[in-house]
Amino acid sequence: MWGILRRSAVDGGGFSASSLRRTRFALVSARSYAAGSKEMTVRDALNSAIDEEMSADPKVFVMGEEVGQYQGAYKITKGLLEKYGPERVYDTPITEAGFTGIGVGAAYAGLKPVVEFMTFNFSMQAIDHIINSAAKSNYMSAGQINVPIVFRGPNGAAAGVGAQHSQCYAAWYASVPGLKVLAPYSAEDARGLLKAAIRDPDPVVFLENELLYGESFPISEEALDSSFCLPIGKAKIEREGKDVTITTFSKMVGFVLKAAEKLAEEGISAEVINLRSIRPLDRATINASVRKTSRLVTVEEGFPQHGVCAEICASVVEESFSYLDAPVERIAGADVPMPYAANLERLALPQVEDIVRAAKRACYRSK
Amino acid sequence: LTPKKETFQTKSENGVITTLSPIHHRFTSLPPPLRFDRPNPDHNRNGRPFHRPPMRRSLTLRGDLIPGDPLLLPRMEIAANSLYKSKLIRGFCHLYDGQEALAVGMEAGITKEDAIITSYRDHCTFLGRGGELVDAFSELMGRMRGCSNGKGGSMHFYKKDASFYGGHGIVGAQIPLGCGLAFAQKYSKEENVSFVLYGDGAANQGQLFEALNIAALWDLPAILVCENNHYGMGTATWRPAKSPAYFKRGDYVPGLKVDGMDVLAVKQACKFAKEHALKNGPIFLLIGKTQTPNKTIVIIMDTYRYHGHSMSDPGSTYRTRDEVSGVRQVRDPIERVRKLLLSHDIATEKELKDIEKEVRKEVDDAVAQAKESPVPEPSELFTNMYVKDCGVESFGADRKELKVTLA
């Protein structure tokens, strides 16, 4: 087991492209033949989404550090400056408060900015503008001033970047009424949700994950179409099951799918829900699934106290109490700032074995 | 070219100080000083000074000859004062009386397509942009008739159709937002500018410099207007600021200092700034460098507020009553306009008194109407959260009791 873990960590976060492909193909071939063998990295998915939305609507523009000449700190905005010119792609100084405020002001006036934070850790410098200037404006002005802006960038832990560069902000932003918070996992999620976010007339916080950028996922013809959009506020059932519901989002979806495989070997059929949308939270799908399986394990990468998992547990206990056969389980990041040492970092983040153990606990298979 | 060291500054007969930005120190020959108490030869179309308009009685006093409605604004603020004391207005209430010349003069110098964004001291700016008295009082009293349906309050007045973007409670937040408005105007190739109003208290905020840097870099048609009423809440300007010469903080962005108690000076300054911000005024002809001429400009308006920072501040713990009444006697903007009108025979005492009575009645009627208007329905708690609700759920305090699906 430790051998598997070590390999997983070395592969960059708990899964590798090859093991993922195995999982994905298993699902895909069980469902249909015509899924196509096209694959796309999350990076290309995001790039194509921004490209298509910029070409469709001249009011969409991109702003952030290194998005233009540098081609993007993580190459998400590669080629956009060459294609659309400096009037649509703006390199900003390293002044988050200033350029975020300018983006929100431009959105007040009707433009559609896509503001990139190099990581969401730096969004804390601009959080007053995200919350007080963007999220609350439509409400405070009784509908006069809406803010069609997207704040995007990598969120959560990367590999070995330390405490100040590893925090997950899903819970912070998702607690604010007036914001929409999305967290894609696969390339299809990335394309569909980002296109929906850019078209949305409300402020959207789009939480990507650095370690997912290079991962390839199969993608359908439908998802490659330029009008493809995913609905905001709907979760996706990645794997159907009947014994225990496991909810999660972003990079952890890959971990949970691996855990589901392991559980299947032991005779536990896990239903995996990829939240996709943290706010609005798809309570209907989660509760329907729990009413089917009677057990819940929630997984996230961020800090445990007052997290996304806490909200899901509360929601399920409130709405589906009589259906539960076991206490709800939470697997989250450790309640510590992210350490640097590789072995400590591994202990600070959820691993596949933690998810398996929690699922077994929920099924009364272990103590 | 030999650099000069002293600041170039002139003072006119009626006390208007004009100062050019430090960047001009680099040149030996300087232009004649810009004055804002009367039009510069370039700005004056027919050689007559501005404050001597044609003597045509057919023009109405309110609106035509008196730019904006300066008599209305202080009366509105005083009415708000009494409403707050009788607890019909709750929370925060920041009053603007003493600073009316700014709101009125600015409106007179610009159009409704030019954007304005300001702080929480926004009642008079809202009225200047064409807001109705009834809407303002209703909003202050939390009624549905209010300009934000009672959901904003004193600090959150907006009027998007007149390009007034609020109304912001966080000190200094409106500065990058306003530069964003200017960005949008440039992006959409509109020939308009954005006036970004902030106070001397906000002048020390980091986001001001961040936004100013970007505005100067990207050549945004933004005019940053510091309403220097000499007190950031209760703190006099010399206490929080190492350098209280706020207009000099622009570095590459030129700064002008204007007497903000003189409505005509304000009007001229705003007109000048707008032209400069759009087409590069005379200041930049001097630079003689080949860099892209900068459109952004900073204006410091020297003004004064008679009330405290807000209704919970008596305004007398950090300044003397003599100071307040002294300013009122010597620099009151309304008095100045009144004297001008009387001395140039544009209006008689009786006409002015009639206007005052008219204004008083208007304000009283508006207050009465606002008092009668209904409070928002409980369902309004959940409206305007999103433009596109997509079936989002929202909850009241007891989520099992009050749960709403936003349509």
Side-chain angles (χ1 to χ4, degrees):
Chain A
M1 187 162 58
W2 283 107
I4 295 169
L5 274 176
R6 210 178 302 126
R7 191 193 64 194
S8 311
V10 160
D11 283 345
F15 57 85
S16 65
S18 54
S19 62
L20 199 66
R21 224 170 278 145
R22 254 185 281 125
T23 316
R24 303 300 295 160
F25 277 141
L27 283 172
V28 161
S29 56
R31 294 225 182 105
S32 69
Y33 295 110
S37 55
K38 267 218 176 97
E39 287 213 334
M40 194 183 227
T41 59
V42 170
R43 177 177 288 118
D44 290 339
L46 294 166
N47 183 279
S48 62
I50 302 174
D51 191 350
E52 285 165 19
E53 292 306 307
M54 282 181 81
S55 114
D57 186 348
K59 291 193 174 163
V60 177
F61 69 94
V62 173
M63 188 158 82
E65 296 156 12
E66 312 296 357
V67 295
Q69 281 189 14
Y70 195 83
Q71 305 297 314
Y74 301 98
K75 304 290 179 268
I76 306 297
T77 50
K78 185 171 180 185
L80 294 180
L81 178 64
E82 285 70 33
K83 185 168 176 186
Y84 295 101
E87 306 264 297
R88 305 283 299 280
V89 179
Y90 290 86
D91 279 322
T92 62
I94 309 177
T95 53
E96 276 77 9
F99 72 71
T100 307
I102 287 182
V104 175
Y108 280 5
L111 298 184
K112 294 188 176 179
V114 177
V115 176
E116 175 173 308
F117 291 116
M118 204 178 281
T119 74
F120 265 91
N121 300 283
F122 314 132
S123 73
M124 289 199 285
Q125 302 216 307
I127 201 166
D128 176 61
H129 282 296
I130 300 175
I131 295 180
N132 281 323
S133 305
K136 299 179 183 171
S137 281
N138 199 47
Y139 191 83
M140 287 194 300
S141 67
Q144 272 190 77
I145 315 270
N146 73 305
V147 190
I149 192 168
V150 175
F151 304 102
R152 52 157 293 272
N155 175 56
V161 291
Q164 292 180 341
H165 291 76
S166 305
Q167 190 164 335
C168 174
Y169 291 87
W172 281 31
Y173 289 121
S175 71
V176 179
L179 278 183
K180 292 176 179 167
V181 180
L182 303 176
Y185 163 63
S186 63
E188 186 171 312
D189 287 356
R191 258 185 72 80
L193 292 176
L194 187 53
K195 285 162 83 69
I198 295 174
R199 293 180 201 181
D200 200 277
D202 296 307
V204 180
V205 171
F206 194 81
L207 305 171
E208 302 159 3
N209 188 290
E210 189 201 324
L211 297 174
L212 282 176
Y213 283 153
E215 290 308 315
S216 280
F217 294 85
I219 193 147
S220 62
E221 281 303 318
E222 190 203 343
L224 287 169
D225 186 60
S226 67
S227 62
F228 176 66
C229 232
L230 284 174
I232 291 179
K234 289 279 171 285
K236 180 183 177 195
I237 298 179
E238 295 281 350
R239 180 188 174 119
E240 283 183 15
K242 54 180 179 50
D243 292 329
V244 59
T245 299
I246 311 182
T247 67
T248 188
F249 60 94
S250 191
K251 192 179 82 192
M252 287 289 128
V253 176
F255 283 59
V256 170
L257 287 170
K258 277 193 115 174
E261 294 257 309
K262 288 205 159 60
L263 289 166
E265 289 163 17
E266 306 199 26
I268 299 176
S269 154
E271 179 146 295
V272 178
I273 300 185
N274 171 9
L275 292 174
R276 280 181 170 175
S277 173
I278 319 296
R279 185 174 189 109
L281 192 59
D282 192 353
R283 294 190 177 88
T285 301
I286 297 167
N287 278 284
S289 173
V290 171
R291 288 176 187 209
K292 187 173 81 172
T293 63
S294 313
R295 294 158 215 280
L296 175 71
V297 176
T298 56
V299 180
E300 68 169 321
E301 195 187 65
F303 294 142
Q305 190 164 338
H306 310 299
V308 176
C309 290
E311 173 65 29
I312 294 174
C313 289
S315 173
V316 163
V317 163
E318 283 166 356
E319 293 183 33
S320 311
F321 183 70
S322 49
Y323 292 82
L324 284 170
D325 283 348
V328 293
E329 296 279 351
R330 282 189 294 172
I331 295 292
D335 207 7
V336 298
M338 185 64 63
Y340 166 68
N343 62 326
L344 294 180
E345 190 181 40
R346 216 174 302 121
L347 287 173
L349 289 169
Q351 303 298 334
V352 174
E353 59 158 10
D354 297 310
I355 303 166
V356 168
R357 195 186 314 117
K360 281 183 176 170
R361 261 200 317 256
C363 295
Y364 294 117
R365 295 290 195 90
S366 62
K367 52 177 180 342
Chain B
L1 297 168
T2 36
K4 261 194 178 180
K5 287 205 179 71
E6 62 275 3
T7 313
F8 188 84
Q9 201 175 60
T10 56
K11 188 172 174 179
S12 69
E13 307 90 59
N14 43 356
V16 172
I17 300 172
T18 317
T19 313
L20 297 175
S21 83
I23 202 149
H24 296 282
H25 298 172
R26 296 195 201 163
F27 301 91
T28 48
S29 67
L30 290 159
L34 292 162
R35 300 180 58 136
F36 296 109
D37 56 343
R38 62 161 195 249
N40 290 285
D42 303 324
H43 299 276
N44 183 356
R45 271 175 301 159
N46 53 12
R48 276 186 292 170
F50 173 80
H51 52 264
R52 217 181 286 244
M55 306 292 182
R56 276 181 276 142
R57 292 296 180 139
S58 56
L59 292 172
T60 58
L61 272 175
R62 289 179 70 187
D64 290 325
L65 292 169
I66 312 175
D69 218 339
L71 296 171
L72 183 66
L73 305 183
R75 192 114 306 276
M76 191 219 145
E77 297 293 67
I78 289 164
N81 184 337
S82 11
L83 285 174
Y84 191 91
K85 287 181 174 147
S86 50
K87 299 209 195 304
L88 283 165
I89 299 178
R90 306 176 317 121
F92 293 121
C93 190
H94 304 88
L95 299 176
Y96 202 71
D97 55 318
Q99 299 182 215
E100 303 88 0
L102 234 157
V104 171
M106 185 174 290
E107 284 303 328
I110 65 177
T111 70
K112 289 290 187 287
E113 276 79 48
D114 297 313
I116 297 185
I117 192 169
T118 184
S119 65
Y120 40 78
R121 210 177 292 280
D122 57 350
H123 305 166
C124 297
T125 321
F126 171 74
L127 289 182
R129 288 264 96 175
E132 294 286 331
L133 267 177
V134 186
D135 295 345
F137 283 119
S138 304
E139 184 60 35
L140 288 172
M141 294 196 265
R143 308 299 169 98
M144 188 67 191
R145 174 79 200 263
C147 49
S148 302
N149 291 357
K151 283 161 68 166
S154 162
M155 298 188 287
H156 304 294
F157 285 17
Y158 303 85
K159 196 163 168 50
K160 192 167 181 187
D161 55 8
S163 312
F164 175 53
Y165 290 89
H168 293 271
I170 307 293
V171 170
Q174 74 273 22
I175 302 169
L177 294 173
C179 292
L181 295 172
F183 176 94
Q185 285 167 332
K186 182 172 178 179
Y187 188 99
S188 314
K189 304 202 182 352
E190 296 169 20
E191 290 288 298
N192 299 122
V193 297
S194 294
F195 282 83
V196 186
L197 279 62
Y198 61 98
D200 46 292
N204 300 309
Q205 281 253 321
Q207 53 188 329
L208 190 164
F209 299 97
E210 295 188 14
L212 191 66
N213 178 42
I214 296 180
L217 259 178
W218 294 349
D219 234 14
L220 303 181
I223 298 157
L224 283 79
V225 182
C226 178
E227 299 177 281
N228 183 6
N229 57 20
H230 301 282
Y231 294 96
M233 228 172 118
T235 311
T237 46
W238 55 271
R239 286 175 59 213
K242 185 72 178 174
S243 159
Y246 299 112
F247 63 99
K248 285 191 192 169
R249 290 183 177 187
D251 194 13
Y252 276 87
V253 177
L256 300 172
K257 187 173 179 209
V258 180
D259 181 1
M261 304 294 261
D262 182 347
V263 64
L264 301 174
V266 171
K267 173 177 172 172
Q268 283 293 74
C270 292
K271 278 177 83 165
F272 172 83
K274 177 176 173 176
E275 282 165 28
H276 168 87
L278 285 173
K279 295 171 215 153
N280 327 303
I283 285 182
F284 272 87
L285 293 174
L286 300 172
I287 288 187
K289 291 199 178 186
T290 51
Q291 69 198 26
T292 319
N294 198 307
K295 292 184 179 164
T296 317
I297 191 168
V298 175
I299 303 183
I300 309 299
M301 300 279 189
D302 204 293
T303 182
Y304 200 83
R305 55 166 163 80
Y306 298 139
H307 272 96
H309 161 74
S310 70
M311 288 305 300
S312 43
D313 171 25
S316 50
T317 55
Y318 47 86
R319 56 187 184 178
T320 60
R321 290 197 199 284
D322 289 340
E323 180 190 306
V324 181
S325 50
V327 174
R328 205 190 276 272
Q329 272 163 27
V330 173
R331 296 179 69 201
D332 185 63
I334 313 295
E335 267 312 299
R336 194 185 292 219
V337 170
R338 194 198 304 269
K339 282 186 189 132
L340 272 176
L341 292 172
L342 292 173
S343 64
H344 292 291
D345 295 324
I346 298 169
T348 62
E349 274 280 357
K350 182 174 180 312
E351 277 170 334
L352 293 178
K353 278 219 162 31
D354 285 342
I355 291 178
E356 258 178 69
K357 273 202 214 125
E358 219 175 276
V359 160
R360 210 181 275 262
K361 184 171 183 308
E362 260 180 49
V363 169
D364 290 341
D365 285 346
V367 170
Q369 213 179 330
K371 277 183 184 169
E372 296 300 311
S373 66
V375 292
E377 292 288 309
S379 58
E380 284 295 316
L381 183 65
F382 297 106
T383 56
N384 303 125
M385 192 95 75
Y386 299 109
V387 173
K388 193 170 153 191
D389 289 320
C390 53
V392 175
E393 295 164 317
S394 198
F395 303 93
D398 183 346
R399 53 207 290 139
K400 299 219 164 147
E401 182 68 19
L402 185 55
K403 175 177 162 175
V404 164
T405 303
L406 306 176

